[in-house]
Coordinates of all heavy atoms in Angstrom, one line a residue:
M1 N 127.1 192.8 91.6 CA 128.0 192.9 90.4 C 129.2 191.8 90.7 O 129.9 191.5 89.7 CB 128.6 194.3 90.3 CG 129.5 194.4 89.1 SD 128.8 195.7 88.1 CE 130.1 196.9 87.9
E2 N 129.4 191.4 91.9 CA 130.4 190.4 92.1 C 130.0 189.0 91.7 O 130.8 188.1 91.6 CB 130.8 190.4 93.6 CG 131.6 191.7 93.9 CD 132.2 191.7 95.2 OE1 132.3 190.5 95.9 OE2 132.3 192.7 95.8
E3 N 128.7 188.7 91.6 CA 128.2 187.4 91.1 C 128.7 186.9 89.9 O 129.2 185.7 89.9 CB 126.8 187.4 91.1 CG 126.1 187.7 92.5 CD 124.6 187.7 92.4 OE1 124.0 187.1 91.4 OE2 123.9 188.1 93.3
P4 N 128.9 187.7 88.8 CA 129.5 187.0 87.5 C 130.9 186.7 87.7 O 131.4 185.7 87.2 CB 129.4 188.2 86.5 CG 128.2 189.0 86.9 CD 128.3 188.9 88.4
W5 N 131.8 187.4 88.4 CA 133.1 187.1 88.8 C 133.2 185.8 89.5 O 134.0 184.9 89.2 CB 133.8 188.2 89.4 CG 135.2 188.0 89.7 CD1 136.3 188.2 88.7 CD2 135.8 187.4 90.8 NE1 137.4 187.8 89.3 CE2 137.2 187.3 90.5 CE3 135.4 186.9 92.1 CZ2 138.1 186.8 91.5 CZ3 136.3 186.4 92.9 CH2 137.7 186.3 92.5
D6 N 132.3 185.7 90.5 CA 132.3 184.4 91.3 C 132.0 183.2 90.5 O 132.5 182.1 90.6 CB 131.3 184.6 92.5 CG 131.9 185.5 93.6 OD1 133.0 185.8 93.6 OD2 131.1 186.1 94.3
F7 N 131.1 183.5 89.6 CA 130.6 182.3 88.8 C 131.7 182.0 87.8 O 132.0 180.9 87.6 CB 129.3 182.7 88.1 CG 128.8 181.5 87.1 CD1 128.2 180.4 87.7 CD2 128.9 181.7 85.8 CE1 127.8 179.3 86.9 CE2 128.5 180.7 84.9 CZ 128.0 179.4 85.5
E8 N 132.3 182.9 87.2 CA 133.5 182.8 86.3 C 134.6 182.0 87.1 O 135.2 181.0 86.5 CB 133.9 184.0 85.7 CG 135.1 183.9 84.7 CD 135.5 185.2 84.3 OE1 134.8 186.1 84.3 OE2 136.7 185.2 83.7
F9 N 134.8 182.4 88.2 CA 136.0 181.9 88.9 C 135.7 180.3 89.4 O 136.6 179.5 89.1 CB 136.2 182.6 90.4 CG 137.4 182.1 91.2 CD1 138.6 182.2 90.8 CD2 137.0 181.4 92.4 CE1 139.6 181.7 91.7 CE2 138.0 181.0 93.2 CZ 139.3 181.1 92.8
L10 N 134.5 180.1 89.8 CA 134.0 178.8 90.1 C 134.1 177.9 88.9 O 134.4 176.7 88.8 CB 132.7 178.9 90.7 CG 132.0 177.6 91.2 CD1 132.9 177.0 92.3 CD2 130.6 177.7 91.8
S11 N 133.5 178.5 87.8 CA 133.4 177.6 86.5 C 134.9 177.3 86.0 O 135.2 176.2 85.6 CB 132.7 178.3 85.4 OG 133.5 179.5 85.1
R12 N 135.9 178.2 86.1 CA 137.3 177.9 85.9 C 137.9 176.8 86.8 O 138.6 175.9 86.3 CB 138.2 179.2 86.1 CG 138.0 180.1 84.9 CD 139.0 181.2 85.0 NE 138.9 182.2 83.9 CZ 139.7 183.2 83.7 NH1 140.6 183.4 84.6 NH2 139.4 184.0 82.7
I13 N 137.4 176.9 88.0 CA 138.0 175.8 89.0 C 137.4 174.4 88.6 O 138.1 173.4 88.5 CB 137.8 176.2 90.4 CG1 138.5 177.4 90.8 CG2 138.0 175.0 91.3 CD1 138.2 177.8 92.2
V14 N 136.1 174.4 88.2 CA 135.4 173.3 87.9 C 135.9 172.7 86.5 O 136.3 171.5 86.4 CB 133.8 173.4 87.8 CG1 133.1 172.3 87.2 CG2 133.4 173.8 89.2
D15 N 136.1 173.6 85.6 CA 136.8 173.1 84.3 C 138.1 172.5 84.4 O 138.5 171.6 83.8 CB 136.8 174.3 83.3 CG 135.4 174.7 82.9 OD1 134.5 173.7 82.9 OD2 135.2 175.8 82.3
G16 N 139.0 173.2 85.3 CA 140.3 172.7 85.6 C 140.3 171.4 86.2 O 141.0 170.4 85.8
F17 N 139.4 171.1 87.2 CA 139.2 169.9 87.9 C 138.8 168.9 86.9 O 139.3 167.6 86.9 CB 138.3 170.0 89.0 CG 138.2 168.8 89.9 CD1 139.4 168.4 90.6 CD2 137.0 168.1 89.9 CE1 139.2 167.3 91.4 CE2 137.0 166.9 90.7 CZ 138.0 166.6 91.5
V18 N 137.7 169.2 86.0 CA 137.3 168.2 85.1 C 138.3 167.8 84.1 O 138.6 166.6 83.7 CB 136.1 168.7 84.4 CG1 135.6 167.8 83.1 CG2 134.9 168.8 85.4
S19 N 139.1 168.7 83.6 CA 140.2 168.3 82.7 C 141.3 167.5 83.4 O 141.9 166.7 82.8 CB 140.9 169.7 82.1 OG 141.5 170.4 83.0
F20 N 141.5 167.9 84.6 CA 142.6 167.1 85.4 C 142.1 165.5 85.6 O 142.8 164.7 85.3 CB 143.0 167.7 86.7 CG 143.7 166.8 87.6 CD1 145.1 166.7 87.5 CD2 143.1 166.1 88.7 CE1 146.0 165.9 88.3 CE2 143.9 165.3 89.5 CZ 145.2 165.2 89.2
L21 N 140.9 165.5 85.8 CA 140.2 164.2 86.0 C 140.3 163.4 84.7 O 140.5 162.1 84.7 CB 138.8 164.2 86.6 CG 138.8 164.4 88.1 CD1 137.2 164.4 88.5 CD2 139.4 163.3 88.9
S22 N 139.9 164.0 83.5 CA 139.9 163.3 82.3 C 141.3 163.0 81.9 O 141.6 161.7 81.4 CB 139.2 164.1 81.2 OG 140.1 165.3 81.0
E23 N 142.3 163.8 82.2 CA 143.7 163.3 81.8 C 144.1 162.2 82.8 O 144.8 161.4 82.3 CB 144.6 164.6 82.1 CG 146.0 164.4 81.6 CD 146.7 165.6 81.6 OE1 146.3 166.7 81.6 OE2 148.1 165.5 81.7
F24 N 143.7 162.3 84.0 CA 144.1 161.3 84.9 C 143.5 159.9 84.5 O 144.3 158.9 84.7 CB 143.7 161.6 86.4 CG 144.0 160.7 87.4 CD1 145.3 160.7 87.9 CD2 143.0 159.7 87.9 CE1 145.7 159.7 88.9 CE2 143.5 158.8 88.8 CZ 144.8 158.9 89.4
V25 N 142.2 159.9 84.1 CA 141.6 158.7 83.7 C 142.2 158.1 82.5 O 142.5 156.9 82.3 CB 140.1 158.9 83.5 CG1 139.5 157.8 82.7 CG2 139.4 159.1 84.8
D26 N 142.6 159.0 81.5 CA 143.4 158.6 80.3 C 144.6 157.9 80.7 O 145.0 156.9 80.1 CB 143.6 159.7 79.4 CG 142.3 160.3 78.7 OD1 141.3 159.5 78.8 OD2 142.3 161.5 78.3
D27 N 145.4 158.6 81.6 CA 146.6 157.9 82.0 C 146.4 156.6 82.8 O 147.2 155.8 82.7 CB 147.5 158.9 82.9 CG 148.1 160.1 82.1 OD1 148.2 159.8 80.8 OD2 148.5 161.0 82.7
W28 N 145.4 156.6 83.6 CA 145.1 155.5 84.4 C 144.8 154.2 83.5 O 145.2 153.1 83.8 CB 143.9 155.7 85.2 CG 143.6 154.6 86.3 CD1 142.7 153.5 86.1 CD2 144.2 154.3 87.6 NE1 142.8 152.7 87.1 CE2 143.7 153.2 88.2 CE3 145.1 155.1 88.3 CZ2 144.0 152.7 89.4 CZ3 145.5 154.6 89.6 CH2 144.8 153.4 90.1
L29 N 144.1 154.4 82.4 CA 143.7 153.4 81.5 C 144.9 153.0 80.7 O 144.9 151.9 80.0 CB 142.5 153.7 80.7 CG 141.2 153.9 81.4 CD1 140.0 154.4 80.6 CD2 140.9 152.8 82.2
A30 N 145.9 153.8 80.4 CA 147.1 153.5 79.7 C 147.9 152.4 80.4 O 148.0 152.5 81.6 CB 147.9 154.6 79.3
N31 N 148.5 151.6 79.6 CA 149.4 150.6 80.2 C 150.8 151.0 80.2 O 151.7 150.4 79.6 CB 149.3 149.1 79.6 CG 147.9 148.6 79.8 OD1 147.3 148.6 80.9 ND2 147.4 147.8 78.9
D32 N 151.1 152.1 80.9 CA 152.4 152.7 80.9 C 153.1 152.2 82.2 O 152.5 152.0 83.2 CB 152.3 154.2 80.8 CG 153.5 154.9 80.6 OD1 154.6 154.2 80.3 OD2 153.6 156.0 80.9
M33 N 154.5 152.2 82.2 CA 155.2 151.6 83.4 C 154.9 152.7 84.5 O 154.8 152.2 85.7 CB 156.6 151.6 83.1 CG 157.5 151.1 84.2 SD 157.1 149.5 84.8 CE 157.8 148.4 83.7
R34 N 154.9 153.9 84.4 CA 154.9 154.8 85.5 C 153.4 154.9 86.1 O 153.2 154.8 87.3 CB 155.2 156.3 85.1 CG 154.2 156.9 84.1 CD 154.7 158.3 83.6 NE 153.8 158.8 82.6 CZ 152.7 159.5 82.7 NH1 152.4 159.9 83.9 NH2 152.0 160.0 81.7
V35 N 152.4 154.4 85.2 CA 151.0 154.2 85.8 C 151.0 152.9 86.6 O 150.4 152.9 87.6 CB 150.1 154.2 84.6 CG1 148.7 153.9 85.1 CG2 150.1 155.6 83.8
S36 N 151.6 151.9 86.1 CA 151.7 150.7 86.9 C 152.4 150.9 88.2 O 151.9 150.5 89.3 CB 152.4 149.5 86.1 OG 151.7 149.4 84.8
I37 N 153.4 151.6 88.2 CA 154.2 152.0 89.6 C 153.3 152.7 90.5 O 153.2 152.5 91.6 CB 155.5 152.7 89.3 CG1 156.4 151.7 88.6 CG2 156.0 153.1 90.6 CD1 157.7 152.3 88.2
F38 N 152.5 153.7 89.9 CA 151.6 154.6 90.6 C 150.5 153.6 91.2 O 150.2 153.8 92.4 CB 151.0 155.7 89.8 CG 150.0 156.4 90.5 CD1 150.4 157.4 91.4 CD2 148.7 156.3 90.3 CE1 149.4 158.2 92.2 CE2 147.7 157.0 90.9 CZ 148.1 157.9 91.9
K39 N 149.9 152.8 90.4 CA 148.8 151.8 91.0 C 149.4 151.1 92.0 O 148.7 150.9 93.2 CB 148.4 151.0 89.8 CG 147.5 151.7 88.8 CD 147.1 150.7 87.8 CE 146.3 151.5 86.6 NZ 145.8 150.6 85.6
I40 N 150.6 150.5 91.9 CA 151.2 149.7 93.0 C 151.4 150.4 94.2 O 151.0 150.1 95.4 CB 152.5 149.1 92.5 CG1 152.2 147.9 91.4 CG2 153.3 148.3 93.7 CD1 153.5 147.5 90.8
L41 N 152.0 151.6 94.1 CA 152.2 152.4 95.3 C 151.0 152.9 96.0 O 150.8 153.0 97.1 CB 153.2 153.7 94.9 CG 154.7 153.3 94.6 CD1 155.4 154.4 94.2 CD2 155.3 152.5 95.8
F42 N 150.1 153.4 95.2 CA 148.7 153.8 95.7 C 148.1 152.7 96.4 O 147.5 152.8 97.4 CB 147.8 154.3 94.4 CG 146.5 154.9 94.9 CD1 146.6 156.1 95.7 CD2 145.4 154.3 94.7 CE1 145.4 156.7 96.1 CE2 144.2 154.9 95.1 CZ 144.2 156.1 95.8
S43 N 148.0 151.4 95.9 CA 147.4 150.3 96.6 C 148.1 150.0 97.8 O 147.4 149.7 98.8 CB 147.5 149.0 95.5 OG 146.9 149.3 94.4
W44 N 149.4 150.1 97.8 CA 150.1 149.8 99.1 C 149.7 150.9 100.1 O 149.6 150.5 101.3 CB 151.5 150.0 98.8 CG 152.6 149.6 100.0 CD1 152.3 149.2 101.2 CD2 153.9 149.6 99.8 NE1 153.3 149.0 101.9 CE2 154.4 149.3 101.2 CE3 154.8 149.9 98.9 CZ2 155.7 149.1 101.4 CZ3 156.2 149.8 99.2 CH2 156.7 149.5 100.5
L45 N 149.7 152.1 99.7 CA 149.1 153.2 100.7 C 147.8 152.9 101.2 O 147.5 153.0 102.4 CB 149.2 154.5 100.0 CG 148.7 155.7 100.8 CD1 149.7 156.1 101.9 CD2 148.4 156.9 99.9
V46 N 146.9 152.6 100.3 CA 145.5 152.3 100.8 C 145.4 151.1 101.7 O 144.7 151.2 102.8 CB 144.5 152.1 99.5 CG1 143.2 151.6 100.0 CG2 144.3 153.3 98.8
V47 N 146.2 150.1 101.4 CA 146.1 148.8 102.2 C 146.8 149.2 103.6 O 146.3 148.7 104.6 CB 146.8 147.7 101.5 CG1 147.2 146.6 102.5 CG2 146.1 147.3 100.3
S48 N 147.9 150.0 103.6 CA 148.5 150.2 104.8 C 147.6 151.2 105.8 O 147.6 150.9 106.9 CB 149.8 151.1 104.6 OG 150.7 150.3 103.9
L49 N 146.9 152.1 105.1 CA 146.1 152.9 105.9 C 144.8 152.2 106.4 O 144.3 152.3 107.6 CB 145.5 154.1 105.0 CG 146.5 155.3 104.7 CD1 145.9 156.2 103.8 CD2 147.0 155.8 106.1
I50 N 144.3 151.2 105.7 CA 143.2 150.3 106.2 C 143.8 149.5 107.3 O 143.1 149.2 108.3 CB 142.7 149.5 105.0 CG1 141.9 150.4 104.0 CG2 141.8 148.3 105.7 CD1 141.4 149.6 102.8
A51 N 145.0 148.9 107.2 CA 145.5 148.1 108.2 C 145.8 148.9 109.5 O 145.5 148.5 110.7 CB 146.9 147.4 107.9
I52 N 146.2 150.1 109.4 CA 146.4 151.1 110.6 C 145.1 151.3 111.2 O 145.1 151.2 112.4 CB 147.3 152.3 110.2 CG1 148.6 151.9 109.8 CG2 147.1 153.4 111.3 CD1 149.4 153.2 109.1
H53 N 144.1 151.6 110.4 CA 142.7 151.7 111.0 C 142.3 150.5 111.8 O 141.8 150.8 113.0 CB 141.8 152.1 109.8 CG 140.4 152.2 110.2 ND1 139.9 153.3 111.0 CD2 139.4 151.4 110.1 CE1 138.7 153.2 111.2 NE2 138.3 152.0 110.8
F54 N 142.4 149.5 111.2 CA 141.8 148.2 112.0 C 142.7 148.0 113.1 O 142.3 147.5 114.2 CB 141.8 147.1 111.0 CG 140.6 147.1 110.2 CD1 140.7 147.1 108.8 CD2 139.2 147.2 110.7 CE1 139.6 147.2 107.9 CE2 138.2 147.3 109.8 CZ 138.3 147.2 108.5
A55 N 144.0 148.0 113.1 CA 145.0 147.9 114.2 C 144.6 148.8 115.3 O 144.6 148.5 116.6 CB 146.4 148.0 113.8
W56 N 144.4 150.1 115.0 CA 143.9 151.1 116.0 C 142.6 150.7 116.6 O 142.5 151.0 117.9 CB 144.0 152.5 115.5 CG 143.8 153.5 116.4 CD1 142.7 154.2 116.7 CD2 144.7 153.9 117.5 NE1 142.8 155.0 117.9 CE2 144.2 154.9 118.3 CE3 146.0 153.5 117.7 CZ2 144.8 155.5 119.4 CZ3 146.6 154.1 118.8 CH2 146.1 155.1 119.6
R57 N 141.7 150.3 115.9 CA 140.5 149.9 116.4 C 140.6 148.7 117.5 O 139.9 148.7 118.4 CB 139.4 149.4 115.4 CG 138.9 150.7 114.6 CD 137.8 150.4 113.8 NE 136.7 150.2 114.6 CZ 135.5 150.2 114.3 NH1 135.1 150.5 113.1 NH2 134.4 150.0 115.1
V58 N 141.4 147.7 117.1 CA 141.7 146.6 118.0 C 142.6 147.0 119.2 O 142.2 146.6 120.4 CB 142.3 145.4 117.1 CG1 142.7 144.3 118.1 CG2 141.3 145.0 116.2
Y59 N 143.6 147.6 119.0 CA 144.6 147.8 120.0 C 144.7 149.3 120.4 O 145.6 149.7 121.4 CB 146.1 147.6 119.5 CG 146.2 146.2 119.2 CD1 146.4 145.7 117.9 CD2 146.2 145.1 120.2 CE1 146.4 144.3 117.6 CE2 146.2 143.8 119.7 CZ 146.4 143.4 118.5 OH 146.5 142.1 118.3
G60 N 143.9 150.1 120.1 CA 143.9 151.7 120.5 C 143.7 151.8 121.9 O 144.4 152.7 122.4
N61 N 142.8 151.2 122.5 CA 142.5 151.3 123.9 C 143.7 150.8 124.7 O 144.0 151.5 125.8 CB 141.2 150.7 124.3 CG 140.0 151.3 123.8 OD1 140.1 152.6 123.5 ND2 138.9 150.6 123.6
T62 N 144.3 149.8 124.3 CA 145.5 149.3 125.0 C 146.6 150.3 124.9 O 147.3 150.5 126.1 CB 145.9 147.9 124.5 OG1 144.8 147.0 124.5 CG2 147.0 147.3 125.2
V63 N 146.9 150.8 123.8 CA 147.9 151.8 123.7 C 147.7 153.0 124.5 O 148.6 153.6 125.1 CB 148.2 152.0 122.2 CG1 149.2 153.2 122.0 CG2 148.7 150.8 121.5
N64 N 146.5 153.5 124.5 CA 146.1 154.6 125.2 C 146.3 154.5 126.6 O 146.7 155.3 127.4 CB 144.6 155.1 124.9 CG 144.3 156.4 125.3 OD1 145.1 157.3 125.5 ND2 143.0 156.6 125.8
D65 N 145.9 153.3 127.1 CA 145.9 152.9 128.6 C 147.4 152.8 129.0 O 147.7 153.2 130.2 CB 145.2 151.8 128.9 CG 143.7 151.9 128.9 OD1 143.2 153.0 128.8 OD2 143.1 150.8 128.7
M66 N 148.3 152.4 128.1 CA 149.6 152.3 128.4 C 150.3 153.6 128.7 O 151.1 153.8 129.6 CB 150.5 151.5 127.3 CG 150.3 150.1 127.4 SD 151.0 149.3 126.0 CE 152.4 150.1 125.6
Y67 N 150.0 154.6 128.0 CA 150.6 155.9 128.0 C 149.8 156.9 128.8 O 150.3 158.1 128.8 CB 150.9 156.4 126.6 CG 152.1 155.6 125.9 CD1 151.6 154.7 124.9 CD2 153.3 155.7 126.3 CE1 152.6 153.9 124.4 CE2 154.3 154.9 125.8 CZ 153.9 154.0 124.8 OH 155.0 153.2 124.2
Y68 N 148.5 156.6 129.1 CA 147.8 157.5 130.0 C 148.2 157.6 131.5 O 148.3 156.5 132.0 CB 146.3 157.2 129.8 CG 145.4 158.2 130.5 CD1 145.3 159.4 130.1 CD2 144.7 157.8 131.6 CE1 144.3 160.4 130.8 CE2 143.9 158.6 132.4 CZ 143.7 159.9 131.8 OH 142.9 160.8 132.6
R69 N 148.5 158.8 132.0 CA 149.0 158.8 133.3 C 147.8 158.8 134.3 O 146.9 159.5 134.2 CB 149.8 160.0 133.5 CG 151.0 160.1 132.8 CD 151.8 161.3 133.2 NE 153.1 161.4 132.4 CZ 153.9 162.4 132.3 NH1 153.5 163.5 132.9 NH2 155.0 162.2 131.6
Q70 N 147.9 157.8 135.1 CA 146.8 157.7 136.1 C 147.5 157.9 137.5 O 148.3 157.2 138.0 CB 146.2 156.4 136.0 CG 145.5 155.9 134.8 CD 145.0 154.6 134.7 OE1 145.0 153.8 135.7 NE2 144.4 154.2 133.6
G71 N 147.0 159.0 138.2 CA 147.6 159.4 139.5 C 148.9 160.1 139.3 O 149.1 160.6 138.4
T72 N 149.6 160.1 140.5 CA 150.9 160.7 140.5 C 151.9 160.0 139.9 O 151.9 158.7 139.8 CB 151.2 161.1 142.0 OG1 151.3 160.0 142.7 CG2 150.2 162.0 142.5
S73 N 153.0 160.6 139.4 CA 154.1 159.9 138.8 C 155.4 160.7 139.1 O 155.4 161.8 139.6 CB 153.9 160.0 137.2 OG 153.9 161.2 136.7
G74 N 156.5 160.0 138.9 CA 157.9 160.5 139.2 C 158.2 160.5 140.5 O 157.4 159.9 141.5
Q75 N 159.5 160.8 140.9 CA 160.0 160.8 142.2 C 159.4 161.8 143.1 O 159.2 161.6 144.3 CB 161.4 160.9 142.2 CG 162.2 159.8 141.5 CD 163.5 160.0 141.4 OE1 164.2 161.0 141.8 NE2 164.3 158.9 140.9
N76 N 159.0 163.0 142.6 CA 158.5 164.1 143.5 C 157.0 164.0 143.6 O 156.4 164.7 144.4 CB 158.9 165.4 143.0 CG 158.4 165.8 141.6 OD1 157.7 164.9 141.0 ND2 158.6 166.8 141.1
G77 N 156.4 163.1 142.8 CA 154.9 162.9 143.0 C 154.1 163.9 142.4 O 152.9 163.9 142.7
G78 N 154.6 164.7 141.6 CA 153.9 165.9 141.0 C 153.5 165.6 139.6 O 154.2 164.7 138.9
T79 N 152.8 166.3 138.9 CA 152.5 166.2 137.5 C 153.5 167.1 136.8 O 154.2 167.9 137.4 CB 151.0 166.7 137.2 OG1 150.9 168.0 137.6 CG2 150.0 165.9 138.0
P80 N 153.5 166.9 135.5 CA 154.5 167.8 134.8 C 154.3 169.4 135.0 O 155.3 170.1 134.8 CB 154.3 167.4 133.4 CG 153.8 166.0 133.3 CD 152.9 166.0 134.7
D81 N 153.1 169.7 135.3 CA 152.8 171.1 135.5 C 153.3 171.6 136.9 O 153.7 172.8 137.0 CB 151.3 171.3 135.5 CG 150.7 171.2 134.2 OD1 151.4 171.3 133.1 OD2 149.5 170.8 134.1
T82 N 153.5 170.6 137.8 CA 153.9 171.1 139.1 C 155.4 170.8 139.5 O 156.0 171.0 140.5 CB 153.0 170.5 140.2 OG1 153.3 169.1 140.2 CG2 151.6 170.8 140.1
V83 N 156.1 170.3 138.4 CA 157.7 170.0 138.6 C 158.4 171.2 138.8 O 158.2 172.2 137.9 CB 158.1 169.2 137.3 CG1 159.5 168.9 137.4 CG2 157.4 167.9 137.3
P84 N 159.1 171.3 139.8 CA 159.9 172.6 140.0 C 160.9 172.7 138.8 O 161.6 171.9 138.3 CB 160.7 172.4 141.3 CG 160.7 170.9 141.6 CD 159.4 170.4 140.7
H85 N 161.1 174.0 138.4 CA 162.0 174.3 137.2 C 163.2 174.9 137.9 O 163.3 175.5 138.9 CB 161.4 175.4 136.4 CG 160.0 174.8 135.7 ND1 160.0 174.0 134.7 CD2 158.8 175.1 135.9 CE1 158.9 173.7 134.3 NE2 158.0 174.4 135.0
R86 N 164.3 174.8 137.1 CA 165.6 175.2 137.4 C 165.6 176.9 137.4 O 165.1 177.3 136.4 CB 166.7 174.7 136.6 CG 167.0 173.3 136.9 CD 168.2 172.9 136.0 NE 168.5 171.5 136.3 CZ 169.7 171.1 135.9 NH1 170.6 171.7 135.4 NH2 169.8 169.7 136.1
S87 N 166.0 177.5 138.4 CA 166.0 179.0 138.2 C 167.5 179.2 137.9 O 168.5 178.6 138.2 CB 165.6 179.5 139.5 OG 166.5 179.2 140.6
G88 N 167.6 180.6 137.4 CA 168.9 181.2 137.1 C 169.2 180.8 135.7 O 170.4 181.2 135.3
W89 N 168.4 180.3 134.9 CA 168.9 180.0 133.4 C 168.5 181.2 132.7 O 167.5 181.8 132.5 CB 168.2 178.7 133.0 CG 168.9 177.6 133.5 CD1 169.2 177.3 134.8 CD2 169.4 176.5 132.7 NE1 170.0 176.1 134.8 CE2 170.0 175.5 133.5 CE3 169.4 176.3 131.3 CZ2 170.4 174.3 133.1 CZ3 169.8 174.9 130.8 CH2 170.4 174.1 131.7

């Protein structure tokens, strides 16, 4: 008996998504100033994410090796797990 409710709920979600997309496409095709600003900012975001992706592919191993701890570190020679903590606090 729950199947019709699930189908109705799913169809409402799909209808809402389709109406949102149709309104978005109508706004996208309009030559409005806010649409132009959105296109510029969206393009900037996409280009920045692509640049970050390629930079990480090129320099990711170098950055990882710079910050990866190899061996012991610090004056006491221990890892952060074995550093003595202050007592009495």
Side-chain angles (χ1 to χ4, degrees):
M1 185 123 123
E2 292 184 27
E3 291 178 20
W5 184 84
D6 289 338
F7 180 71
E8 180 182 343
F9 180 70
L10 184 62
S11 67
R12 283 187 181 183
I13 289 176
V14 170
D15 288 341
F17 185 69
V18 168
S19 66
F20 172 77
L21 282 180
S22 65
E23 187 176 335
F24 183 80
V25 168
D26 290 342
D27 284 344
W28 185 268
L29 296 176
N31 288 328
D32 192 13
M33 180 59 77
R34 66 185 173 95
V35 175
S36 300
I37 292 172
F38 176 77
K39 286 179 182 179
I40 291 169
L41 292 176
F42 185 71
S43 301
W44 186 0
L45 176 68
V46 168
V47 169
S48 298
L49 289 175
I50 291 171
I52 289 169
H53 173 73
F54 284 121
W56 186 254
R57 289 192 69 161
V58 172
Y59 298 110
N61 290 333
T62 306
V63 172
N64 190 32
D65 291 341
M66 283 176 25
Y67 292 103
Y68 181 70
R69 293 185 179 165
Q70 297 177 0
T72 60
S73 64
Q75 294 177 352
N76 62 0
T79 62
D81 294 335
T82 62
V83 173
H85 298 285
R86 291 185 180 197
S87 61
W89 282 50

